[in-house]
Every structure is written in structure tokens, then in C-alpha cells.
Amino acid sequence: MVTPSHATRSTSAHTPSIRSLAVFCGSRVGNNPAYTEAGRALGAGLAVAGIRLVYGGGRIGIMGVIADAVLQAGGTVLGVIPDFLKQWEVEHQGVQKMIVTDSMHERKTRLYEESDAFLTMPGGLGTFDETFEIITWRQLRLHDKPILLCNVEGWADPLIAMLENAIGDGFAAASARALVEVLDDVPAVMERLASLPRVQNGSAARL
Ligand code: AMP
């Protein structure tokens, strides 16, 4: 786990910046209104920054909150939803583009291919799965796209503790801390997105 100050990479005026961000987050809104507020702030921030939202395509939960906020602020949204989840997660009808996949695995591949970086916002089991998967893909050097985690009011403390414990127990290298950047709130995420370089490694062939 690294803080932004440790993780800052040198960028030049010619380095392309993040254009598309995949967001992993809950299909429920959770019990703390701060999660919804953070989702709204993120959506508005992405629209203003001209960064396309790439997400799971649902209209419910924090997913729906973020997508609605991007659209309301005039931004662009790409949804990627498996056919079998269109009803369950209530497919968003207002996004500019929706990709319908045959499986969850194809959804994850498309989310990966369409994004320059990844951000985890508050969520549940599916969010944990997606977050750890993108971290482990980076650990395996299958990609080097930035991974951010927005720890809104400490919701991700147990997730971060699992990673720290894995290192402490000798199940992960100390360098695993650098695979994901933890940021405390949405303004910190937006600031970091503005300085992140875009990595040219979009191939999903080995995922
Ligand atoms: P959740 O955090 O459980 O509300 O789920 C957030 C998103 O993750 C939703 O779009 C789910 O479809 C997705 N999801 C749920 N379970 C899984 C899983 N096992 N693997 C990948 N994605 C999942």
C-alpha cells in the first residue's frame, strides 16, 4: 500500500494522461450516506476532468449514483454488463454506450481493455473480488495500469488490513504494497488522476 507522495511518478508534458477510468463499486448504496456523497462527487469530478467512466452498467447502488452524476454533469459513460445481470442489476438506460457480454469473465476483460486505470469505491463482495483480481493481475505483471482505492470514511480498512497481513505473514512480497494507492477521499482521487500517466499496455491476451 502506498501513499500518493511515495507513488508519484515523473510525468512530462508529452505523457498522455488518464482518459478512461474503470470504477469498481457496490450494487447497493450501503448504510453510510457518505458513500453516496462520494459517488456523486466522483461522477461530477470525472465529467469536469473529461475522464470517461467505465463501469458495470447498472442503475442501482453506488454504481448507479456515479453513472447518474457523470451524465448529469455532461460526462461520458461506458457500461459493461453481462446479459444475465441486465435485470438483476437493472441495466442503465441513459449511458452513451453499453456493452453486453456473455459472461462475468468477458465483462472483466472488457472493463480492463477499455480503461487506463482502476478505482475502487465503497462496495461489497463483487467489489472485493474485482479489486483483488486487478491487484493480483498487476502482481503477476500482466499489466501495469494504476490502481486506486478510495477509502471513504475507512470503509476499506479491513481490505487494506488483509493485504498488510498477507505481507506480514509472508504470503506476499513487501513490494505488493505499491500495487495499489490508497486515497482518503474523492478530491484526493481527482488530484491523483490528474497526475497519473497513461500506460500503454491494453492487451488482455494473458488475463
Ligand atoms: P457488490 O460489491 O457485491 O455489490 O458487486 C459490485 C459489482 O461486482 C456488481 O456489478 C457485481 O455484478 C459484480 N460482482 C459480483 N460478484 C462478482 C464476482 N464473483 N466476480 C466479479 N464481479 C462480481
Side-chain angles (χ1 to χ4, degrees):
M1 209 66 54
V2 289
T3 58
S5 56
H6 294 132
T8 301
R9 300 180 203 173
S10 62
T11 55
S12 75
H14 304 293
T15 306
S17 53
I18 302 292
R19 285 202 197 131
S20 263
L21 179 72
V23 177
F24 305 132
C25 61
S27 55
R28 303 174 182 220
V29 292
N31 294 328
N32 186 342
Y35 304 151
T36 294
E37 283 163 26
R40 286 203 192 105
L42 178 72
L46 292 179
V48 169
I51 296 173
R52 179 180 69 158
L53 169 69
V54 181
Y55 85 118
R59 176 159 73 73
I60 54 173
I62 302 293
M63 300 167 82
V65 169
I66 297 173
D68 286 342
V70 172
L71 294 169
Q72 273 164 23
T76 307
V77 180
L78 168 66
V80 184
I81 195 164
D83 196 39
F84 82 97
L85 273 183
K86 280 165 69 175
Q87 301 298 325
W88 195 1
E89 293 194 344
V90 196
E91 180 186 11
H92 202 299
Q93 302 294 327
V95 304
Q96 286 90 350
K97 189 174 175 193
M98 184 72 72
I99 296 173
V100 180
T101 65
D102 290 331
S103 68
M104 293 293 270
H105 284 295
E106 192 189 344
R107 177 203 233 180
K108 287 174 166 181
T109 303
R110 296 307 302 269
L111 287 169
Y112 170 79
E113 287 173 337
E114 295 286 345
S115 307
D116 303 319
F118 307 93
L119 168 66
T120 294
M121 293 291 284
L125 303 185
T127 305
F128 300 159
D129 172 88
E130 291 164 324
T131 301
F132 274 115
E133 184 167 69
I134 204 68
I135 292 172
T136 55
W137 285 350
R138 196 177 190 196
Q139 180 179 241
L140 294 170
R141 299 186 183 176
L142 294 174
H143 74 90
D144 197 25
K145 297 182 185 183
I147 304 169
L148 309 182
L149 174 60
C150 188
N151 193 13
V152 180
E153 298 206 355
W155 82 273
D157 284 348
L159 192 155
I160 297 162
M162 275 189 75
L163 200 146
E164 299 283 356
N165 287 345
I167 295 168
D169 283 341
F171 287 116
S175 57
R177 277 195 196 89
L179 296 172
V180 55
E181 285 182 40
V182 178
L183 300 145
D184 284 341
D185 52 29
V186 170
V189 168
M190 294 313 306
E191 197 180 322
R192 184 64 183 128
L193 285 174
S195 67
L196 277 175
R198 181 146 45 96
V199 178
Q200 308 289 341
N201 58 359
S203 171
R206 290 188 299 163
L207 300 181

